[in-house]
Amino acid sequence: MLESLQNHLGERLDFAFHEGRSDASSLVVIGHGVTANKDRPFVTALAEALSTAGVPTLRLSFAGNGESEGRFEDSCISKEVDELGAVLDQVEAALGDRRARTEIYFVGHSMGGAVGVLRAASDQRISRLVSLAGMVATGEFCDRKFGDLTPGQDLMWDKPECPLSQTYVDDLHGIGSTIGQAREIQIPWLLVHGDADTVVPIRDSEEAAAQGSRTQLVTLPGVDHVFSDGGTQAMVDTVVPFLTQLD
């Protein structure tokens, strides 16, 4: 469907497209979390399952992550919200005449969940939203996970390719929380969170789910932040029906 993708700054974004039915009435875009990329096993598994169910699905790496262009040090929620807008522009153009009969859904994991909420609160092109262990209290997350690190010197989770930047810290503190935008979400919104998640606490999803009138929270017992072991199948079995059901 797409030969290339760029963000709003012209940086090339790495992506993979999974074909669905030729007459599909929806298309799913999947965004990842911090220090991750489009190739996380559970992201690929979800995309493949949606494709098998007939739904075309695009999974992407935000700029500075994976094989995408850009500096990791510039990666932050606000930049990725703008990047998602640029991706939607290009998806619409690629759909052409099919755009009028194709709904666009977004699935975001962890920090990508925050990106999805902020974009969907102001962009009516997203007609269904899924948050996988979605980050809500962004400032608290930054303090809890990286508060003892020095931006510009230390690494996020000891990953050499992921230096902690002042841009990232300032952006998460500047946003503070996405709970205000959660109240503005009027589309069907599924939140999936494992109760063994030690990266983003399940209370983030619980608080967000309480804000909307069309939200559904599914708690996965014993499942961690990246849906390891049996968590991936449980997540897929929850998300695919939500994104293929008719209103």
Side-chain angles (χ1 to χ4, degrees):
M1 184 184 90
L2 289 164
E3 294 185 0
S4 64
L5 270 180
Q6 295 80 35
N7 67 6
H8 57 297
L9 300 177
E11 296 167 329
R12 180 189 57 80
L13 301 180
D14 184 35
F15 71 98
F17 183 70
H18 301 253
E19 297 282 352
R21 293 191 312 271
S22 60
D23 62 343
S25 60
S26 60
L27 181 146
V28 175
V29 177
I30 306 178
H32 59 81
V34 62
T35 75
N37 57 63
K38 69 176 178 63
D39 294 323
R40 279 207 146 169
F42 67 90
V43 172
T44 301
L46 177 58
E48 290 175 345
L50 286 166
S51 177
T52 298
V55 182
T57 302
L58 184 154
R59 51 187 172 92
L60 70 120
S61 293
F62 290 112
N65 295 269
E67 299 300 317
S68 291
E69 291 181 346
R71 299 190 328 137
F72 178 82
E73 293 90 332
D74 296 329
S75 301
C76 62
I77 293 173
S78 295
K79 183 183 181 188
E80 292 180 3
V81 171
D82 289 338
E83 288 181 2
L84 180 55
V87 168
L88 296 182
D89 291 342
Q90 292 160 86
V91 166
E92 283 192 309
L95 285 170
D97 294 340
R98 290 177 293 161
R99 175 63 185 102
R101 58 182 184 274
T102 304
E103 293 189 332
I104 298 174
Y105 305 153
F106 180 73
V107 178
H109 173 246
S110 193
M111 193 171 91
V115 171
V117 169
L118 294 178
R119 189 79 232 176
S122 61
D123 194 329
Q124 295 183 352
R125 291 177 294 181
I126 298 175
S127 56
R128 196 165 290 202
L129 180 65
V130 176
S131 297
L132 302 177
M135 186 190 301
V136 175
T138 60
E140 187 274 338
F141 170 85
C142 188
D143 290 341
R144 179 165 45 83
K145 288 299 181 181
F146 307 121
D148 59 345
L149 303 182
T150 301
Q153 297 182 24
D154 293 322
L155 304 174
M156 303 170 78
W157 290 308
D158 297 321
K159 295 182 177 182
E161 70 277 17
C162 300
L164 179 66
S165 71
Q166 193 65 53
T167 295
Y168 178 82
V169 171
D170 290 346
D171 188 65
L172 265 67
H173 284 145
I175 293 169
S177 172
T178 64
I179 207 71
Q181 288 82 3
R183 298 189 187 102
E184 300 173 15
I185 303 295
Q186 301 298 316
I187 57 177
W189 180 13
L190 173 67
L191 301 96
V192 183
H193 215 126
D195 64 7
D197 191 337
T198 60
V199 179
V200 175
I202 195 171
R203 67 173 179 271
D204 275 30
S205 288
E206 292 170 342
E207 292 173 1
Q211 306 305 313
S213 60
R214 305 183 71 183
T215 57
Q216 176 186 354
L217 172 61
V218 175
T219 300
L220 301 180
V223 171
D224 63 14
H225 188 64
V226 294
F227 305 96
S228 58
D229 300 324
T232 292
Q233 192 60 54
M235 178 272 291
V236 168
D237 290 345
T238 302
V239 174
V240 172
F242 175 78
L243 293 180
T244 55
Q245 69 188 12
L246 297 176
D247 288 329

